[in-house]
Amino acid sequence: MKILLVAVNAKYIHSNLGIYSLKAYAGQQMDRCRSRQATIELAEYTINHQMEVCLQDIYRRRPDVIGFSCYIWNIATIRALAADLRKVLPGIPIWLGGPEVSFDAEKVLRENPSVTGVMKGEGEETFAQLARHYVDDLTDMSDIAGLTYRNPDGTLTDTGIRPVMDLNRIPFSYHTVALKDLEHRIIYYESSRGCPFSCSYCLSSIDRQVRFRDLGLVREELRYFLDAGVPQVKFVDRTFNCRKSHAMAIWKFIQEHDNGITNFHFEIAADLLDEEEMDLLAKMRPGLVQLEIGVQTTNVRTLVAIRRKTDLEEIQRITARINRGRNVHQHLDLIAGLPHEDLDSFRRSFNDVYAMEPEQLQLGFLKVLKGSFMEEMAGSYGLAYSSLPPYEVLSTRWLSYDGILELKEVEDMVEVYYNSRQFTCTLKAFENEFASPYSMFYFMGEYYRRRGLAGISHNRIARYEILFDIIRERLTPCGGQEEAARPEGTAGLGLETYRDLLMTDLYLRENVKSRPVFARDPAASKAKIKDFFIKEGKSPQYLTDYKGYDSRQISKMAHVEAMADGTLVLFDYRNRDPLTYNARACVIDMDDNG
């Protein structure tokens, strides 16, 4: 007997903790019950795979039972796969599970005749019993809680919802999968389930029974990741710090056992952090911890409507405190399309969150999830959303589709120019040319749309060249002037200063070989730069980590760029900022250098 659990992930770097956990628990239970020999296999694809390739691979595995893990990003692919699998593997039971099918299972079965049944809600115990049903043929499906399935006569049976389980009963999921198979992918891990909050747009609000995994197990399992040197472990706990003692114990453990490699990502409620927790976070190695903080909106009326308990002033204070430590990456979230938030309100929310200076600012759009309170309120809110997954907002009583399109343009610019962290110096100056940061990104998005640049995959150098042209247009709205005669912007900076800033941003990240078209001709400063690398002088004070290398080798591992006033800036790639990974940059004093 072979049971195949299938995941269709959004990206290659993702992994699917859900199917690993199902396999680990079911395998343990069947061993204890001395079930007949059975194999539970895993198959992972992405939504970017050709469906025919997935179909062929599943067919060649010759499973006896197939189970799919269903989410908003993969349900369309899975529906099509299930329909085709029914044709090439007739008679094989096909089961669906996951949040996208748990809340309207009967409708799913009526619309997908190729599907045998749906596993609803928390899946480990349900799947284990279902597996035993197929392997040993001892359990009647009607006795398995948490199922909706199709009978031979076409009628449907629903066995209700299974009570939630003790997380400590679930064995460590990653003993069922080789870590070498997850190389270059994110490792997901959970130390708790459920959420104490009741945000109207989130399915976690349905399960308010927060359960925690025993800290002894958590420490043992985290040590496994640390010993293996995995790059990143992302906790999927909905509000990781909802119990202080639990969060503190885990943070202390990863600090004390830091391997210098592994990074840990946590989704937290920032306004729950107290001084003791922030003191501990301040002691972490730069880059050891990432914090994701869902602000969502700064409109107080909207916060009330979505049932979100948030102290905005406290979030501002705490994020500023964390930023001062320069050791913790902060990722702040906003959601567009929430009730009572019109375009002006969202612009204010954006500017408020931008002022908190996160490393990442995620501008997301409301997804009207099945089973959520937001779905119930859609009529009252005039909430129109896509008929197909991911059920994204199209308009509300407060926000038109035109407004959504404007926000989409801003989202693209934020993702390319802010979240990439490749333009930090330039954006910091350029935002002063506008009334607000939102206005800057709107101007950039409009430029892309007018020039037909949106929706194109531009390379990195092209992004710099486009931004230079955007800046030039902002500084010279009338056009037609010679560069030397163009006026300075409202921030008091001229085009040559922005040229310097862009070149600084470019070389902070890497010693690129290609140079943008706006870069100055290096010939004018070639002799001075060569002089710096060749003369021994005092150059070791700048290049402290290059002993044993000759000047030619050093010139490949470090870069010197001449600025508008003739100043030389050294970019030292062997000494990088541990949080941003930018090269150390310093001005060269050629007089002292000889």
Side-chain angles (χ1 to χ4, degrees), residues 292-466:
E292 182 172 350
I293 300 166
V295 182
Q296 318 310 13
T297 177
T298 61
N299 183 317
V300 175
R301 189 177 181 190
T302 299
L303 288 169
V304 172
I306 63 176
R307 303 172 170 180
R308 189 166 180 83
K309 298 177 180 179
T310 300
D311 187 332
L312 294 172
E313 290 185 359
E314 191 69 353
I315 289 178
Q316 291 170 335
R317 183 186 72 84
I318 288 170
T319 54
R321 163 84 180 270
I322 293 171
N323 271 336
R324 286 196 296 271
R326 289 195 49 77
N327 67 320
V328 174
H329 175 113
Q330 294 191 88
H331 176 143
L332 304 188
D333 295 337
L334 282 169
I335 297 178
L338 294 174
H340 304 291
E341 184 140 69
D342 59 16
L343 198 53
D344 285 339
S345 171
F346 189 85
R347 289 167 180 155
R348 287 192 294 273
S349 290
F350 180 94
N351 291 327
D352 289 342
V353 174
Y354 189 88
M356 299 180 198
E357 299 184 325
E359 277 72 31
Q360 299 277 301
L361 198 171
Q362 181 67 46
L363 198 173
F365 290 81
L366 177 66
K367 311 294 190 297
V368 184
L369 303 179
K370 295 176 183 178
S372 68
F373 182 70
M374 188 65 71
E375 183 186 37
E376 292 182 32
M377 297 298 292
S380 299
Y381 294 155
L383 180 52
Y385 57 95
S386 174
S387 304
L388 298 174
Y391 315 113
E392 191 170 274
V393 62
L394 298 173
S395 64
T396 71
R397 281 171 48 195
W398 304 272
L399 187 64
S400 69
Y401 188 53
D402 282 327
I404 291 289
L405 294 181
E406 176 180 319
L407 296 180
K408 287 283 185 181
E409 291 181 353
V410 170
E411 177 201 23
D412 288 344
M413 295 299 98
V414 169
E415 193 63 29
V416 169
Y417 287 105
Y418 185 85
N419 289 342
S420 69
R421 310 308 291 169
Q422 295 176 2
F423 305 87
T424 53
C425 298
T426 307
L427 290 185
K428 192 70 175 175
F430 194 42
E431 68 186 59
N432 294 313
E433 307 289 352
F434 298 85
S436 70
Y438 182 94
S439 299
M440 174 182 69
F441 290 108
Y442 174 72
F443 182 86
M444 294 162 67
E446 285 287 282
Y447 182 94
Y448 263 71
R449 181 161 61 86
R450 292 196 320 270
R451 301 298 179 94
L453 299 170
I456 299 173
S457 181
H458 302 282
N459 63 39
R460 186 181 173 206
I461 296 296
R463 296 289 191 189
Y464 279 87
E465 292 171 344
I466 293 169

Side-chain angles (χ1 to χ4, degrees), residues 5-7 9 11-28 40-45 69 71 124 127 170-179 181-183 185-190 193 225:
L5 294 174
V6 181
N9 300 322
K11 296 179 181 179
Y12 172 76
I13 62 169
H14 297 166
S15 56
N16 191 294
L17 175 59
I19 62 171
Y20 307 159
S21 186
L22 294 186
K23 178 179 178 179
Y25 185 78
Q28 179 193 72
I40 301 175
E41 289 189 2
L42 306 177
E44 290 191 75
Y45 313 102
S69 176
Y71 297 87
E124 284 87 357
F127 173 70
I170 303 173
F172 184 46
S173 301
Y174 289 92
H175 285 327
T176 66
V177 58
L179 285 182
D181 294 336
L182 298 177
E183 193 173 1
R185 297 167 72 185
I186 299 171
I187 301 292
Y188 294 95
Y189 179 79
E190 65 177 346
R193 282 185 186 170
F225 296 137

Side-chain angles (χ1 to χ4, degrees), residues 95-118:
W95 287 83
L96 308 183
E100 179 55 20
V101 296
S102 286
F103 300 98
D104 58 352
E106 291 189 7
K107 181 181 179 183
V108 169
L109 292 176
R110 286 195 298 269
E111 294 178 351
N112 297 274
S114 57
V115 175
T116 305
V118 173

